[in-house]
Amino acid sequence: MAKKGESAGRSWLLIALVVCALLSLYRASPQAAAKTQEATLLEFYEAMESGRLVEPVTRVFDRDEGSTYLAGEMEQKDELNDDGSPKKRKYRVRLVPGENERVMNDLLDNSIKVEVVEKKAAISPFIVQTLFFVGMLALLYWIMYRRMGGGGPFGFGKSKAKVLNGIEAKNKVTFADVAGVDEAREEVQEIVEFLKDPSAFKKLGGRIPKGVLLVGPPGTGKTLLARAIAGEAAVPFFAMSGSDFEEMFVGVGASRMRDVFAEAKKRAPCIVFIDEIDSIGQKRTGAGAIGGSHAYEQTLNTMLVEMDGFDANEGVIVIAATNRPDTLDSALLRPGRFDRQVVVELPTLKGRREILELHGKKITFAPDADLDRVARGTPGFSGADLANLLNEAALMAVRKKLDGVDMATLDEARDKVLWGRERKSAGYSQKDRECTAWHEAGHAILQVLLPNTDPLHKVTIIPRGRALGVTMSLPERDVLNRTRGYFLSEIRLCCGGRIAEEIALGDISTGAAQDIAQATQIARDMVCRFGMSDKFGFQAFVARSPLSGDENPPAFSEGTAREIDAEVRRLVDEAYADAKRVIEENRAKLEELAKALLEKETMDGREVERMVRGEDEAKAEGGEA
Ligand code: ADP
Ligand code: ZN
């Protein structure tokens, strides 16, 4: 019985293979003739703006390279065929991370059709499809085989192509490509020395960690830093992401992990980089674990076994990155594993300046462009945000047909990165606009009048991101600490939109949902986390789990819970009443501002301030500007 099933399976497989091979040969051949040229993103945009793109544009995600590019045909500028039709050429544009979404949005705005393709291997999609087909058959076969008690005939996860997702960095990155994180750079310098010459390092008695954990918010350059370590030491770099292991069958993740380490040991000294380690290295939940967590656990355990199994001096260094170190399983942090942590912070003013300069090298600026001012106006931006800002500005400048990126464009790009892109206001009725104008006027007037607030930057009723309008404020400098006064004002600011709607229109809208959520959250945090309520004083009531956002089982009584709720409500109610008083006292100004917004759509912070405070007062204060 078993024998029969086995041979039947085998012959089926053979037939399928032959058919697939023939099919792929037949279909792949016409493709080979095409000649494709690399194009820059600017060329691509120029073609888009002048309507020379041939639809559809294909967006390809290449899993092997971990890169994304656009491909398709564009008409050549001023070049015609004999019959008078424009000459076409095939292009390919590489997208750097972060550009993806914007380009897709712009294509959407220009109503250009896009096809999205994921390329799994460096061969044509047809072959990928047939391979997939064969793979499915093989899997079936394997499962049947296993049922029958035999060992799998195919070594899963053994094939090298599957194992190494990121493979080695092709274009070398060095420390010169990483700016503004000097401390982190110094801390990893030692690792570079070790990798360059492990035996010399050992002779000198240096102790090198097996694992280094890079901890910091997204986009601060952790991946970049890891690649730079490899680049500086000129060693291979194996990259993968914890999230790669997410959709895997039990056992496959673990086997992949083993293969990566086996390969890495062969190529030592080298670096194994694991991005988003938190997705496999979460605290193990013990009983009641659901579904996939078992698979993660296996992957995690395998990694730990591998790390324990090799001697630190073998030269494989595992670098992992996370922005949530507190969710990591403590087993990861034990000696001999990731016992060294390097913090990669959001860049300071000086750091931002350096990052802007680094990424600005490739950009032509107008004489009035001042990167120092950009750095000052971008507290809280990550390195990736800053790179994005410059990129955005360069593209805007092309569209405006400027010779160089000027200050106004830089400001515009900053706003876009921070508050989302402006949306064309199709389907946005006059009534919505009016409601939004009052709403934003309510926020803005409070932003000007209340103490302890960040300066008002801009108010707009042009929809941005998901919001119908935005009141933008910018902190004056890097903020490391917030005060109680700031939070009290912040809750009041949140109330402003709803209050203005109510006063002016006698009705209220859903536009305040986000404001309400935010006000409630701030009030709750003040009471439960920051010890900022009079009633409870210096006490904390939550051990908020950063993982799920849930609160761990409350360590207080039900009575206290009720009191907390009451205290939160009191804070919010008081803020609402107070904000309402301020707005009512300035009703005339509110109306003036709302009307101006309806007319102008966007107003500068200073303009609003002048209007609200009255011309003279603003002039008296004007010295600082
Ligand atoms: P992370 O891994 O911390 O999320 P990345 O290393 O992926 O961040 O950063 C994404 C991109 O942002 C980089 O490719 C680089 O262009 C830019 N970037 C981020 N931080 C820096 C930095 N400190 N110096 C220069 N560029 C940076
Ligand atoms: Zn609002």
Side-chain angles (χ1 to χ4, degrees), residues 147-329:
R147 279 257 178 91
M148 287 182 269
F154 302 105
F156 254 73
K158 287 270 163 59
S159 96
K160 213 165 112 188
K162 259 191 209 150
V163 177
L164 304 175
N165 243 330
I167 323 189
E168 294 165 33
K170 285 197 190 95
N171 1 10
K172 197 173 135 172
V173 175
T174 66
F175 282 152
D177 299 306
V178 192
V181 283
D182 297 344
E183 277 170 44
R185 219 165 74 177
E186 263 162 44
E187 282 187 64
V188 299
Q189 184 61 42
E190 191 191 16
I191 298 167
V192 176
E193 301 305 326
F194 166 73
L195 288 170
K196 271 188 184 155
D197 190 351
S199 53
F201 193 90
K202 204 168 135 193
K203 247 182 250 150
L204 292 174
R207 199 191 74 83
I208 204 73
K210 285 185 198 171
V212 180
L213 193 62
L214 299 179
V215 179
T220 44
K222 297 183 291 298
T223 309
L224 200 64
L225 197 61
R227 289 183 62 177
I229 297 171
E232 288 284 333
V235 300
F237 182 71
F238 298 98
M240 59 188 153
S241 170
S243 61
D244 287 350
F245 294 93
E246 251 157 38
E247 297 153 23
M248 279 198 193
F249 303 112
V250 176
V252 178
S255 139
R256 220 187 228 206
M257 190 60 90
R258 263 193 298 277
D259 291 345
V260 171
F261 276 95
E263 184 67 20
K265 268 185 241 173
K266 269 188 237 155
R267 309 279 298 269
C270 67
I271 285 178
V272 173
F273 177 67
I274 308 175
D275 204 359
E276 300 178 51
I277 183 97
D278 35 286
S279 53
I280 50 169
Q282 284 169 12
K283 289 195 174 91
R284 280 173 280 197
T285 37
I290 19 145
S293 74
H294 176 56
Y296 293 154
E297 238 166 77
Q298 267 197 1
T299 310
L300 175 62
N301 284 336
T302 308
M303 187 179 81
L304 294 179
V305 167
E306 289 291 338
M307 286 183 77
D308 291 345
F310 61 75
D311 179 8
N313 292 316
E314 273 175 51
V316 179
I317 293 197
V318 187
I319 301 182
T322 182
N323 54 351
R324 304 184 299 190
D326 40 355
T327 69
L328 291 180
D329 197 301

Side-chain angles (χ1 to χ4, degrees), residues 343-359:
V343 178
V344 189
E345 305 261 24
L346 284 172
T348 56
L349 174 60
K350 180 168 155 286
R352 292 198 297 278
R353 163 93 235 206
E354 287 167 16
I355 294 172
L356 285 166
E357 242 160 43
L358 182 71
H359 286 272

Side-chain angles (χ1 to χ4, degrees), residues 411-454:
D411 276 342
E412 211 178 309
R414 191 258 327 266
D415 291 351
K416 188 163 163 187
V417 171
L418 193 48
W419 288 288
R421 49 186 277 109
E422 288 185 357
R423 274 188 288 130
K424 299 204 171 132
S425 42
Y428 184 38
S429 72
Q430 183 59 22
K431 223 173 142 209
D432 288 338
R433 286 186 72 233
E434 244 165 72
C435 185
T436 308
W438 284 103
H439 182 108
E440 297 308 327
H443 285 310
I445 204 168
L446 291 177
Q447 189 95 41
V448 174
L449 294 174
L450 292 176
N452 303 313
T453 55
D454 290 329

Side-chain angles (χ1 to χ4, degrees), residues 539-568:
Q539 285 186 72
F541 295 106
V542 273
R544 189 186 302 272
S545 152
L547 182 57
S548 56
D550 290 346
E551 285 159 22
N552 286 339
F556 45 85
S557 70
E558 230 171 90
T560 306
R562 237 174 266 127
E563 283 180 68
I564 289 173
D565 291 342
E567 184 69 356
V568 170

Side-chain angles (χ1 to χ4, degrees), residues 439-440 443 469 471 493-494 496-498 501 511-515:
H439 182 108
E440 297 308 327
H443 285 310
T471 298
L493 283 178
C494 290
R498 164 65 59 92
E501 287 179 35
Q514 196 53 44
D515 299 332

